[in-house]
Amino acid sequence: DDGLDKSFAIGVVGRFLVYRNMYRFMKGKARVLNVMASGHKAPVDMFDEDIATGDRNVTSLIEAMMNFGIGNEIMIEALFKYDKNYIDEKEFTMVSTHPGMLSTDLHRGQGWAFDIFEYIMVHYLVGISEEEAGVRQSSILVSEKLHPSGLTLVDHLGHARVYDPVMADLIEQKRDWMWSFLTAMERNHACK
């Protein structure tokens, strides 16, 4: 236990460790779909290094979701900048997308007002089933429109994401920190 926020540990640190090691098992023209609550539309001031490191606890579900969503964006960009297995690979494609608003009870227990709001939003207004999200994500992964190698960022419908200069600036500012933090976590927990 490193004292990390659980959602950040699973959504960012866990994915980082999987992505850092999965190249060993891939052959040929591999495609990987990173499906994660996306931070590309989130207010960039919602990313807090102190939450990522466990120096401060999250105070709400929204804060946790924004922090790991934005953290995921930074982590993916760092992989393609610093990891030699991603930089050198010419036949590997990673597609990063988000699932959209799912009809799920994943976030229950955040207080009665949030539970009611979330239920109405996902079940009656904008939610899709997990099965429908899976079909969308599968069609994104096999799309001929993807770049043949490298990182492709798309929305939950498979459309290219609009470039956001504010998010790009945050990624540029935090990418080195994120890489150092995640590789230190990896070293500290490596099998001896």
Side-chain angles (χ1 to χ4, degrees):
D1 181 22
D2 293 293
L4 301 177
D5 171 63
K6 287 180 185 176
S7 57
F8 191 85
I10 293 167
V12 180
V13 178
R15 285 171 189 263
F16 173 77
L17 295 172
V18 168
Y19 295 157
R20 286 274 285 176
N21 291 286
M22 72 182 181
Y23 71 90
R24 299 174 189 174
F25 307 101
M26 297 186 310
K27 292 184 179 182
K29 296 185 177 193
R31 287 185 172 191
V32 175
L33 184 65
N34 173 49
V35 181
M36 177 72 177
S38 180
H40 80 282
K41 291 184 180 178
V44 295
D45 61 344
M46 292 293 291
F47 182 74
D48 187 340
E49 290 176 16
D50 289 339
I51 291 173
T53 60
D55 293 334
R56 182 173 85 74
N57 293 329
V58 295
T59 57
S60 70
L61 173 66
I62 298 298
E63 186 178 49
M65 290 172 62
M66 294 297 113
N67 211 58
F68 75 71
I70 295 169
N72 187 55
E73 300 281 333
I74 299 167
M75 179 271 294
I76 292 291
E77 294 279 350
L79 274 173
F80 278 86
K81 180 164 177 76
Y82 299 116
D83 188 311
K84 67 179 180 62
N85 296 304
Y86 288 83
I87 295 168
D88 297 339
E89 183 58 54
K90 302 298 182 228
E91 296 191 12
F92 172 73
T93 300
M94 179 176 277
V95 184
S96 189
T97 186
H98 59 92
M101 188 73 91
L102 298 180
S103 298
T104 180
D105 60 0
L106 180 65
H107 304 298
R108 290 282 187 264
Q110 300 300 315
W112 66 269
F114 185 86
D115 288 351
I116 291 170
F117 171 74
E118 189 255 354
Y119 184 84
I120 292 169
M121 286 296 292
V122 300
H123 290 284
Y124 295 108
L125 300 177
V126 296
I128 62 172
S129 70
E130 292 169 346
E131 292 80 11
E132 186 178 345
V135 168
R136 285 183 185 178
Q137 292 154 11
S138 296
S139 66
I140 290 169
L141 188 59
V142 298
S143 173
E144 294 297 323
K145 296 178 182 178
L146 295 177
H147 294 288
S149 64
L151 177 62
T152 302
L153 302 172
V154 298
D155 68 11
H156 66 288
L157 299 174
H159 303 132
R161 290 194 341 207
V162 175
Y163 176 77
D164 179 356
V166 176
M167 180 58 73
D169 187 47
L170 177 72
I171 289 170
E172 186 68 31
Q173 292 172 23
K174 302 290 184 182
R175 188 173 41 218
D176 291 344
W177 173 85
M178 181 69 77
W179 183 255
S180 296
F181 171 70
L182 292 171
T183 54
M185 292 287 292
E186 182 181 39
R187 278 191 308 276
N188 291 341
H189 295 286
C191 295
K192 307 238 188 291

